Amino acid sequence: MRPARKHLAENRSQVCARDDETPSVIVEPKTIGARAFVVAEQRAASRHLIAAGIQIDRAHEHIAIVDKIIGMTASVFVGTSVDGFIARLNGDFDFLPAGGGEPHGYNEFMAGIDAIVIGRHTFDVVLKFSPWPYGKTRVVVLSSRPIDLSVIVGGVVEQMSGEPAEIVERLAATGAHNLYVDGGITIQRFLRAGLIQRLIITRVPVLIGEGIPLFGSLPHDVALTHIATRQFPSGLVQSEYAVT
Ligand SMILES: NC(=O)c1ccc[n+]([C@@H]2O[C@H](COP(=O)([O-])OP(=O)(O)OC[C@H]3O[C@@H](n4cnc5c(N)ncnc54)[C@H](OP(=O)(O)O)[C@@H]3O)[C@@H](O)[C@H]2O)c1
């Protein structure tokens, strides 16, 4: 539901960017349901900050703060080699246990997800799976080029493109507040934008030397809070972190 106008007024972000003082953004979201508006306001405020010469990563920090305040959770649930690769350079993931391996929380994780956001490369891989692996969960494929979604049987799939903050804003506006972000490049872009709140990484006991990395360059350190590490009889080691 769209927020009422008086709520919009109550949720205004204040931008303070005069020449004689340090620019800052104060966000006072008083209405939880007005999340999409607050993010839009925050992005506008961030543009002011950027125009005022503040580093873009600082503006992104403010977006992340708003996300935490209002309750959006974007999570990563991924399997990697111990040396940090999610697939081989040719896209193969034969080093991961067949069929997902022993149960390690995927079904429980998926039960709390409103929408899965995957990059086009990951989509190209899962397209070959039969049946469609995500059931009726909403899937958003990110790509800057047209994708033929008519080939998918039984799935609920749409395409989006744009900055991660815009994607999150559009999803929040349509009721998706618990996102599963997947695909190396996609995860890295969301992390750089300060839009990932939770990382669940399951390490498979193998080194593959080279491949598609889970993580990449960042504009600044991303501090993590360790939530838990679980070990499984087959050798899987799963660590969960909150992005702080
Ligand atoms: N081990 C695991 O748990 C795991 C999990 C997921 C995936 N994988 C593997 O990882 C590989 C794919 O990862 P990847 O790093 O190559 O790529 P990816 O993140 O799956 O896809 C990257 C592509 O997504 C599109 N994209 C991403 N963000 C976008 C945005 N904001 N707006 C528009 N388009 C956007 C772009 O496609 P366009 O070029 O079309 O614009 C980009 O080139 C596959 O081999 C897959 O099997 C492994």
Side-chain angles (χ1 to χ4, degrees):
M1 184 164 53
R2 293 179 72 83
R5 200 156 256 301
K6 78 180 179 62
H7 288 154
L8 300 190
E10 288 171 356
N11 278 275
R12 296 207 76 79
S13 304
Q14 298 168 19
V15 178
C16 169
R18 295 206 313 267
D19 288 345
D20 58 346
E21 58 187 287
T22 305
S24 63
V25 172
I26 304 161
V27 182
E28 297 179 84
K30 292 177 184 162
T31 307
I32 301 298
R35 183 188 185 286
F37 169 77
V38 174
V39 172
E41 281 280 280
Q42 183 64 31
R43 288 177 53 228
S46 297
R47 284 193 204 100
H48 284 278
L49 285 170
I50 294 161
I54 302 303
Q55 290 178 342
I56 193 163
D57 57 338
R58 179 149 174 231
H60 284 146
E61 279 175 19
H62 290 293
I63 293 174
I65 289 166
V66 172
D67 288 335
K68 283 172 187 159
I69 292 169
I70 310 176
M72 169 68 87
T73 302
S75 303
V76 168
F77 189 107
V78 71
T80 73
S81 61
V82 168
D83 45 356
F85 298 110
I86 60 172
R88 296 191 191 277
L89 289 176
N90 65 3
D92 284 354
F93 44 86
D94 54 304
F95 61 93
L96 298 177
E102 67 180 310
H104 57 279
Y106 180 77
N107 292 339
E108 294 81 355
F109 168 79
M110 282 299 292
I113 293 300
D114 300 324
I116 305 168
V117 180
I118 57 174
R120 201 243 322 150
H121 298 167
T122 298
F123 173 71
D124 287 344
V125 171
V126 297
L127 203 50
K128 296 173 192 147
F129 294 173
S130 182
W132 176 248
Y134 301 124
K136 293 295 181 191
T137 304
R138 181 181 180 186
V139 175
V140 177
V141 183
L142 301 185
S143 180
S144 55
R145 60 189 87 171
I147 295 179
D148 179 10
L149 300 176
S150 66
V151 294
I152 298 156
V153 178
V156 180
V157 188
E158 64 201 283
Q159 181 182 350
M160 288 189 189
S161 177
E163 290 300 315
E166 292 169 346
I167 308 289
V168 168
E169 184 183 335
R170 288 171 65 184
L171 284 165
T174 51
H177 295 287
N178 290 298
L179 309 181
Y180 172 13
V181 179
D182 208 10
I185 291 169
T186 303
I187 291 167
Q188 290 168 29
R189 285 182 182 171
F190 274 68
L191 267 173
R192 277 199 291 272
L195 290 168
I196 298 289
Q197 283 80 39
R198 185 167 62 140
L199 296 170
I200 302 171
I201 302 165
T202 305
R203 278 161 288 152
V204 178
V206 65
L207 303 171
I208 64 169
E210 60 179 9
I212 297 173
L214 172 56
F215 297 117
S217 65
L218 289 166
H220 52 67
D221 293 352
V222 174
L224 305 175
T225 299
H226 178 246
I227 304 298
T229 291
R230 310 165 188 102
Q231 65 182 68
F232 296 86
S234 65
L236 302 181
V237 177
Q238 183 181 75
S239 293
E240 178 173 352
Y241 300 93
V243 178
T244 48

